[in-house]
Amino acid sequence: MKNVLIVSGGWLGHKPYEFADFFDQLYKEQGFEVIHSHTLDSFNDLNFLKSFDILMPNWTMGEISDEQENNISEAIKSGVNLLGIHGGAGDAFRSCLTYQWMLGGQFLAHPYVGEYEVRITQKNHPICLGISASFTVDTEQYYMLTEPSIEVLAETRYIYEDQTMIMPVAWVKNWGQGKVFYSTLGHEPSEYDKYPEMKQLLTQAIRFLT
């Protein structure tokens, strides 16, 4: 049976434990055994991390040691996959450059909160199949610092202080033998029911990773 480790905690404003319950159901619907952890000590044992198909950090902010950061990186390089959303992965472990490089980006700010359009950029990618070419959400619009190797799957137009730019919303990348998926969407668990495209993107990402 496929398995996933969800490590939940950190800043409570991102509702890590509510999201853990949401993901528990979603992964089980995809045939996964779900292991939950509420401690960063879960990253202390590299062999333990290597025993999973997917690692899911669900921990806004927080600090990990150099050894823990290296263990996460080496586990993904060995063929474990990583899935993350919103601040639970994109605003985790701010001082850890290797983690940010592995993920493909880092949250900087969300000066705009409200309605915005998400545009699918690769309609034929397995993660994007069957999803509307564009859809509108009403939530935090993340301004991300990203690195060039990401393969962008969805983007948005970010307008702020008379500047307009294209900002990635969801992407995949490789890290050694492992695959990484990240999406800036998902401030509230209820958004996945309100915006079915979000849930479809996430479900198909889980399938793609395994």
Side-chain angles (χ1 to χ4, degrees), residues 104-175:
Q106 169 65 38
F107 165 81
L108 293 184
H110 53 72
Y112 176 76
V113 178
E115 284 195 355
Y116 62 93
E117 182 185 43
V118 176
R119 298 191 300 272
I120 298 297
T121 59
Q122 296 200 49
K123 65 179 182 179
N124 293 323
H125 192 283
I127 294 177
C128 303
L129 289 176
I131 299 176
S132 302
S134 66
F135 57 95
T136 300
V137 296
D138 188 345
T139 186
E140 295 176 345
Q141 189 181 33
Y142 266 18
Y143 190 102
M144 301 292 294
L145 182 66
T146 59
E147 59 98 359
S149 74
I150 62 173
E151 182 180 358
V152 178
L153 304 179
E155 66 185 17
T156 187
R157 187 178 299 275
Y158 212 116
I159 303 172
Y160 184 66
E161 293 188 344
D162 299 322
Q163 297 187 67
T164 300
M165 64 216 76
I166 301 301
M167 183 63 57
V169 169
W171 63 75
V172 289
K173 65 168 294 183
N174 295 322
W175 188 252

Side-chain angles (χ1 to χ4, degrees), residues 173-203:
K173 65 168 294 183
N174 295 322
W175 188 252
Q177 299 301 310
K179 297 190 290 287
V180 174
F181 169 84
Y182 174 73
S183 170
T184 65
L185 301 171
H187 181 64
E188 296 277 351
S190 61
E191 292 176 358
Y192 287 95
D193 292 323
K194 187 175 182 180
Y195 308 113
E197 297 91 347
M198 285 176 51
K199 188 171 184 180
Q200 186 175 356
L201 189 75
L202 190 60
T203 302

Side-chain angles (χ1 to χ4, degrees), residues 43-112:
F43 298 137
N44 290 343
D45 186 338
L46 176 57
N47 289 328
F48 174 67
L49 298 181
K50 285 182 176 181
S51 70
F52 291 93
D53 294 288
I54 294 179
L55 299 183
M56 185 171 187
N58 179 33
W59 198 292
T60 302
M61 294 181 276
E63 295 291 336
I64 51 176
S65 68
D66 292 345
E67 180 182 9
Q68 289 169 332
E69 181 183 25
N70 181 71
N71 286 345
I72 298 170
S73 174
E74 290 302 312
I76 305 306
K77 283 182 178 179
S78 75
V80 180
N81 304 296
L82 187 142
L83 185 147
I85 66 156
H86 202 60
D91 190 20
F93 321 133
R94 293 177 178 177
S95 64
C96 297
L97 180 59
T98 296
Y99 171 83
Q100 295 169 16
W101 187 15
M102 176 187 65
L103 186 70
Q106 169 65 38
F107 165 81
L108 293 184
H110 53 72
Y112 176 76

